[in-house]
Amino acid sequence: MERIRPRTLSGFMELLPAKQVQMERMMEILRKTYSLYGFSPLDTPAIEDAQILLAKGGGETEKQIYRFQKGDSDLALRFDLTVPLAKYVALHYNELAFPFRRYQISKVYRGERAQRGRFREFYQADIDIIGDGKLDILNEAEIPAIIYKVFTGFGLRRFQIRVNNRKILNGFYAMLGLSEKSGDIMRTVDKLEKIGPEKVRVILLEDCGLEEGQADEILKFIAITGSNDQVLAALEGYAGRNELFDQGLEELKAVTKNLAAFGVPEENFAVDLTIARGLDYYTGTVYETALLDHPEIGSVCSGGRYDNLAGYYIDKALPGVGISIGLTRLFYVLDEQGLLNPDLPAAPADVLVLPMTGDAGPAISLAQTLRESGLRVQLYGEQKKFKQKLAYANKLGVPYVVLLGEDELAAGKCALKDMRTGQQLLVTAQEAAQRIQEGTDVSKIPVILEK
Amino acid sequence: MERIRPRTLSGFMELLPAKQVQMERMMEILRKTYSLYGFSPLDTPAIEDAQILLAKGGGETEKQIYRFQKGDSDLALRFDLTVPLAKYVALHYNELAFPFRRYQISKVYRGERAQRGRFREFYQADIDIIGDGKLDILNEAEIPAIIYKVFTGFGLRRFQIRVNNRKILNGFYAMLGLSEKSGDIMRTVDKLEKIGPEKVRVILLEDCGLEEGQADEILKFIAITGSNDQVLAALEGYAGRNELFDQGLEELKAVTKNLAAFGVPEENFAVDLTIARGLDYYTGTVYETALLDHPEIGSVCSGGRYDNLAGYYIDKALPGVGISIGLTRLFYVLDEQGLLNPDLPAAPADVLVLPMTGDAGPAISLAQTLRESGLRVQLYGEQKKFKQKLAYANKLGVPYVVLLGEDELAAGKCALKDMRTGQQLLVTAQEAAQRIQEGTDVSKIPVILEK
C-alpha cells in the first residue's frame, strides 16, 4: 500500500493524552466557574457567511481569515467569538432575556504566519454580558471577581487583574486638547511596559506630533501608581475639568468599591492607568490580567466595556462587557514555563482491572461495581504476560491495579495493588473502591503549580 | 450605518440558551460515561492537510468535504473523527500505550445538500480502542455496556443494541460460493428493515445476479430471529462448514456471553443477523442501536471491529473497535419527537439575587456565599421596576429569587422567593442556600423523557 506520511499542520495544537487531560481540567474549571456566575453556555457554528463575519472589515482580520467557496456560498471560519455573538444576539434579539449572559469556549481560526507559541487554531474562553439599551456598572464590577475565581481555580496565586477606564483616558486627553489624537496616544502608551517611558515620549513627540508639555503631562499621568486608594485620590486631582473624565472616575470607583464583597483580595487587583487595550471597540472599563512572575507573556485575560455590540446587524443599542481568555496560548505558555502541576494525575483511569483466570465474568462484574462508586475503570483483557500488564499500567500512569486470580476468587476478594508504593492488599470490592477513591481524589490538586 | 441582515447558515445548528443547556447536559453525560470506562479525551484539529484526510479517497467524501487553499497549503475540514484518529495514532505511535482507548466529542463537516434534519456541521461522539498487532475480543464485548450506560444516562429505556459479526456473514456467503458478491449482498440486506424481504429478494436476483436457491438461503438466514440463545443455537446449525464463519460465531458468543456481568439487560440487546454496516472497513463485530418507538430514525449509535486503522499512514497492524454517536442529529431528532424532558431545568442560574438598597455590598456578599455552596448565582444590578426584575427571572426560568431590602438587612436575613410556588420566606443565607440546593438538584432529572 502506498503510504502518506502522517503530520499535523503547524500552528495547530494536538496534545498527547496526558497533556490533554490537563487541558480538559482547565476547560472544566472554566465551564464550572462561568456557570457559577449565571452565564449560559453557547455554541455557534465555526463556519459563517463571510460577509457577516467581515461586516466590520479591517485589514488584519481580512488577511488572516480562512475564507473559501462551497457551491455559491462565500464562507469563512470565525476568527473570534465576539462577531458570532453579535450576530447571534441580533438574530435572536426577540427570544433572549436581557441582560444576556453567555459563555463560549470554542476554537477560532487565524491564518497567521506560523511562529513559536502562535496558533492558527486556538480556543477562546469568553464571557459577555449584553444589555438592551442600558447595562448597570455592577456588571463591570463583577468581572474581576470572575477572573479571580477562574485563575485561583487553576491554582494560580501570583497574578494581578489590572483595570482602567477609557473614559478617564479620553477625558484626560480632551483636557489637553488631544481628543483627535487619543487613539494614537493610547496605542503608544499601551507599549509602556515593553519599551519604557523614554521611548513612549519619543513616539508621542515624533510620531503623534505632541508638544513637549503635552507629552510630559501624559507621562506624569500614566506614572500615577500606588494602592488603589492612592491612584483614585490622585485622579480626584483632575476631577471637575471634563465631564467624560468625571464619569469615568465614578465608574472606576464603582468597580473598585466592592472588591472585598466580591471576594477579590487587594494583591490580585490594581487600578492601572497605562491599560488602554488597543481596540477602539472599548468605551469604558478595560481589563488585563498579568502573571506576576511572567510579565513577558503579556495579558492572559483581557476585555472591557463596549457600547455597541451588534450595530452592523441590528438597529438596537446593545452595550456589554466581556473578557476573553486565549486558552490554547495560555496552556502552551504554562506548559513551556513548567507551571503545569506534574502531580495532577493524567491517567485515563483510576484503576486497571486484570482478569487472571479463563473466565472474565468476575472481573467484568468487579469493574462494574467499582464504576458504580464513580471510579474510572479500565478492564484489561489482552493476553499478555503479567509483567507486560503491569508495564502497561505504569506507562498510562494508572495508580491502582486490581488482580482477580483463583485465590482471590476463592476468598471472595480481590488483590489491590498500589502502583506508586507497590503495596498489595487482599480486600473486598467495596474496600477496594473506598481505598482507590481516597487515593485518587483529584478535586484538591491544582492544574497549575507555581514555584 | 449600513446594516447586514444577520443569519446562520442553513445546515448549521445554533441553539437558543435553554436548548443549549440540554445539549450541554448530554455532552457532559457522554464525557463522564466515556471516562468511567477509561477512555482518554482527545482533541485533534478541525483543519488537516487535505492529502492526509483524503488518503483513502472515495467519491462521496471527496464531493462533500470542505477543501480550500491558504497560501500554498491544500487544507480541508475533517469529515469524521476516524481519519484524524488514524493520523494521530500513526504520528504518535511510539508515544502511546496500547490498547489505546480514546474518546473525542467534536464537530465534523460535510457539505451535503441541505435538507431537514441533515447537518453540514455536526458533533460526533466517538470512542475507539486500538490494539497494537492484536486486540482481545473482550473489548468488543465491553462496547454494548458503554452504549447501554450512555443511553440510560440520557434517560432512555426503550432502545436496543443490535449486534452481528461480519465474519459470520462473510463465512456464510462463502458457503454459498458468493464471497465475491458479499459486499453487494450486505448492502442489499442492510435495506431489509426499510424495504422488506420481498424487495430484498428482487434486488438479490436482478441486481446482484444470484440464483433463486442462493437468494432463498440468504432470506432464510436473515430471518433467523428470537432470543439471543435461539439465534446462536440456529447459527450452530451452520457450524463446521467454513472456518471464517466458525470464528465469527465464536466471537459473537464471546460478545453475548458476559452481558449480565456487563450490566446490559436482555431487553436492550439483540443478536441481529441483518446488521451488516455499509462500510467495507469493518471486519468482525458490528453494532447498531435503535430507538424502539422510533424505528424511522435509524441507528443512533453504530460501529464495529476493524483490522486496519491506519494502513494509509503507517506500516503497523492496528486493529480496533469503535462506535460513533451522531450527537447533533440525535439531539435534533429527540427534540423534534418531543423526547427532551421539559422538566429538566434550563435556566442559566439557580437563583437571581436582587439588591433592593442603594448599597449593593450586602447583595454581592450574599451572592458569593451562595456560590460557595455550589449554586449558580446571578447578581442582577439593573435599575428596573420590581415587576420587571421578576419578569426577567421568569423569562430565564430561574427557580429562586433572593431579595435584600432594608428590612431583610436589618434582620440579618434575606427574602427567598420560590418562583414556581410564589412562596416567600425570611431566611438566613445558609438556610437559603440549603433550600435552593434541595430545590434545584438536577442530577436525577433525565435529559430524555419517554412517553
Side-chain angles (χ1 to χ4, degrees), chain B residues 23 40 54 94 148 246 274 293 315 320 393 405 418-419 432:
Chain B
M23 181 62 141
S40 292
L54 293 168
N94 289 313
Y148 176 77
D246 293 352
T274 69
D293 300 326
D315 182 19
D418 184 329
M419 296 297 285

Side-chain angles (χ1 to χ4, degrees), chain A residues 1-9 12-17 20-21 24 27 31 35-49 51-52 55 63-66 68 70 75 77 87-88 90-92 94-101 103 107 109 111 121 123 134-136 138-139 142 257-258 261-263 308 311-315 348-349 355 359-361 364-365 368 371 374-383 392 395-396, chain B residues 1-9 12-17 20-21 24 27 31 35-49 51-52 55 63-66 68 70 75 77 87-88 90-92 94-101 103 107 109 111 121 123 134-136 138-139 142 257-258 261-263 308 311-315 348-349 355 359-361 364-365 368 371 374-383 392 395-396:
Chain A
M1 187 187 289
E2 204 188 326
R3 294 208 165 76
I4 295 177
R5 193 176 60 82
R7 70 185 189 97
T8 298
L9 294 165
F12 288 73
M13 181 179 270
E14 186 173 78
L15 299 168
L16 283 169
Q20 185 64 40
V21 168
E24 297 284 327
M27 289 199 191
R31 284 193 297 265
S35 296
L36 278 181
Y37 287 82
F39 290 84
S40 292
L42 200 66
D43 187 8
T44 61
I47 305 179
E48 300 266 9
D49 182 318
Q51 306 289 336
I52 287 176
K63 255 182 277 169
Q64 292 180 355
I65 200 167
Y66 287 95
F68 49 93
K70 181 83 184 171
L75 306 174
L77 300 180
K87 181 217 73 177
Y88 182 90
L91 183 59
H92 304 293
N94 289 314
E95 296 150 294
L96 299 175
F98 293 92
F100 172 56
R101 300 159 76 95
Y103 77 82
K107 286 176 172 176
Y109 297 84
E121 174 188 71
Y123 278 100
K134 282 185 189 176
L135 187 69
D136 197 87
L138 193 62
N139 297 287
E142 193 182 35
K257 184 185 166 196
N258 287 306
F262 273 119
N308 187 358
Y312 292 100
Y313 311 120
I314 192 172
D315 182 20
D359 178 13
I364 294 167
S365 298
Q368 287 294 109
R371 275 186 203 108
L375 294 171
R376 301 173 304 147
V377 183
Q378 180 180 343
L379 185 65
Y380 184 91
E382 308 315 303
Q383 307 300 320
Y392 176 74
K395 189 165 181 187
L396 284 182
Chain B
M1 186 186 289
E2 202 189 326
R3 293 208 166 76
I4 294 178
R5 191 176 62 82
R7 69 184 189 98
T8 299
L9 294 165
F12 289 73
M13 180 177 272
E14 186 174 77
L15 299 169
L16 283 169
Q20 185 64 40
V21 168
E24 297 284 328
M27 289 199 192
R31 283 193 296 266
S35 295
L36 278 181
Y37 287 82
F39 290 84
S40 292
L42 199 66
D43 186 8
T44 62
I47 306 178
E48 301 265 9
D49 183 318
Q51 305 290 336
I52 287 175
K63 258 183 276 169
Q64 294 180 353
I65 200 167
Y66 288 96
F68 49 93
K70 182 83 183 171
L75 306 174
L77 299 180
K87 180 216 74 177
Y88 183 90
L91 184 58
H92 304 292
N94 289 313
E95 296 150 295
L96 299 175
F98 292 92
F100 172 55
R101 299 160 76 95
Y103 76 84
K107 286 175 172 176
Y109 297 85
E121 175 188 71
Y123 278 100
K134 282 187 191 175
L135 186 69
D136 196 87
L138 192 63
N139 297 288
E142 193 182 34
K257 184 183 166 197
N258 288 304
F262 273 118
N308 187 359
Y312 292 100
Y313 311 120
I314 191 172
D315 182 19
D359 178 13
I364 295 167
S365 297
Q368 287 293 109
R371 274 186 204 109
L375 293 171
R376 300 173 306 147
V377 183
Q378 180 180 343
L379 185 65
Y380 184 91
E382 308 314 304
Q383 307 300 319
Y392 176 74
K395 189 164 181 187
L396 284 183

Side-chain angles (χ1 to χ4, degrees), chain A residues 384-413:
Chain A
K384 297 264 182 179
K385 288 184 186 138
F386 184 61
K387 248 190 163 170
Q388 290 175 301
K389 294 179 181 180
L390 290 189
Y392 176 74
N394 269 326
K395 189 165 181 187
L396 284 182
V398 175
Y400 291 93
V401 167
V402 164
L403 314 165
L404 261 188
E406 298 295 352
D407 293 351
E408 288 82 16
L409 286 173
K413 300 201 170 180

Side-chain angles (χ1 to χ4, degrees), chain B residues 136-179:
Chain B
D136 196 87
I137 186 75
L138 192 63
N139 297 288
E140 283 158 66
E142 193 182 34
I143 295 285
I146 304 170
I147 299 174
Y148 176 77
K149 186 87 177 167
V150 165
F151 282 92
T152 52
F154 289 161
L156 280 167
R157 292 291 172 274
R158 300 268 306 138
F159 65 93
Q160 191 178 52
I161 303 159
R162 294 173 181 164
V163 176
N164 195 7
N165 193 300
R166 291 280 287 249
K167 289 176 188 165
I168 290 180
L169 298 182
N170 285 322
F172 173 69
Y173 299 133
M175 287 180 211
L176 299 180
L178 290 170
S179 286

Side-chain angles (χ1 to χ4, degrees), chain A residues 5 37 124 127 137 154 166 170 209 218 221 233 235 267 272 276 311 313 325-326 364 377 382 384 392 413 425:
Chain A
R5 193 176 60 82
Y37 287 82
Q124 288 193 328
I127 52 171
I137 186 75
F154 288 160
R166 290 280 287 250
N170 285 321
I218 289 168
F221 184 81
L235 289 175
E267 66 260 34
D272 184 335
Y313 311 120
I325 297 175
I364 294 167
V377 183
E382 308 315 303
K384 297 264 182 179
Y392 176 74
K413 300 201 170 180
L425 295 169

Side-chain angles (χ1 to χ4, degrees), chain A residues 14 29 73 78 96 121 222 274 276 329 346 356 375 434:
Chain A
E14 186 173 78
I29 290 166
S73 306
R78 64 181 165 217
L96 299 175
E121 174 188 71
I222 59 179
T274 68
R329 180 167 152 72
M356 310 287 283
L375 294 171
Q434 202 187 326

Side-chain angles (χ1 to χ4, degrees), chain B residues 360-423:
Chain B
I364 295 167
S365 297
L366 177 65
Q368 287 293 109
T369 303
L370 296 176
R371 274 186 204 109
E372 278 157 25
S373 311
L375 293 171
R376 300 173 306 147
V377 183
Q378 180 180 343
L379 185 65
Y380 184 91
E382 308 314 304
Q383 307 300 319
K384 298 264 182 178
K385 288 184 185 139
F386 183 62
K387 249 190 162 170
Q388 290 175 300
K389 292 178 183 181
L390 290 189
Y392 176 74
N394 270 327
K395 189 164 181 187
L396 284 183
V398 174
Y400 292 93
V401 167
V402 165
L403 314 165
L404 261 188
E406 299 294 352
D407 293 350
E408 288 83 15
L409 285 173
K413 299 202 170 180
C414 62
L416 175 66
K417 189 178 179 68
D418 184 329
M419 296 297 285
R420 292 165 293 195
T421 63
Q423 193 191 40

